[in-house]
Amino acid sequence: RTDGRGRIQKIGEKPFSSNKLGASIMFDVDKVMILDDDGGLWVVDIGSSEPSWDRVAKIKTLRINAGLSLLPDGRVAITGGTASAVDKDGGSIGVDEDAAVK
């Protein structure tokens, strides 16, 4: 449904670049994890008037079109994706051995 009183509001600027095919997930109240173009995982706290950004990890294999999933224990799993936006060489990526972060 699209009726209601919701709204979209710009809350700030990211301190990194991220592809429009990059991944993000809201994993807790007011907490969003975003994968940047260099493999950095950032958490933004959107619960205050001034969002705070923290780089919490770096993944080994850069990827776009990845999936982020919330695990029952609160960690976020990073799966799939490709090495580039135009994947002509079958560069699909599976699960990183260290791809679950909290």
Side-chain angles (χ1 to χ4, degrees):
R1 297 180 53 148
T2 58
D3 56 335
R5 297 181 183 204
R7 64 188 170 108
I8 297 173
Q9 177 181 347
K10 183 175 181 175
I11 61 168
E13 297 290 331
K14 301 178 304 211
F16 55 87
S17 64
S18 61
N19 187 294
K20 67 181 178 181
L21 300 175
S24 63
I25 187 172
M26 180 173 266
F27 66 95
D28 201 352
V29 175
D30 295 332
K31 305 282 186 182
V32 178
M33 181 176 284
I34 303 171
L35 180 60
D36 75 18
D37 288 346
D38 295 321
L41 285 167
W42 292 78
V43 172
V44 59
D45 183 344
I46 60 173
S48 65
S49 60
E50 189 69 31
S52 60
W53 296 88
D54 292 305
R55 186 172 176 182
V56 296
K58 180 167 175 63
I59 62 172
K60 292 180 183 178
T61 307
L62 299 181
R63 58 182 78 198
I64 60 172
N65 271 338
L68 300 181
S69 301
L70 184 60
L71 301 175
D73 65 1
R75 293 182 302 156
V76 174
I78 306 162
T79 57
T82 60
S84 70
V86 181
D87 187 16
K88 296 179 180 175
D89 300 321
S92 63
I93 302 169
V95 177
D96 254 344
E97 60 274 13
D98 299 319
V101 296
K102 184 158 188 170

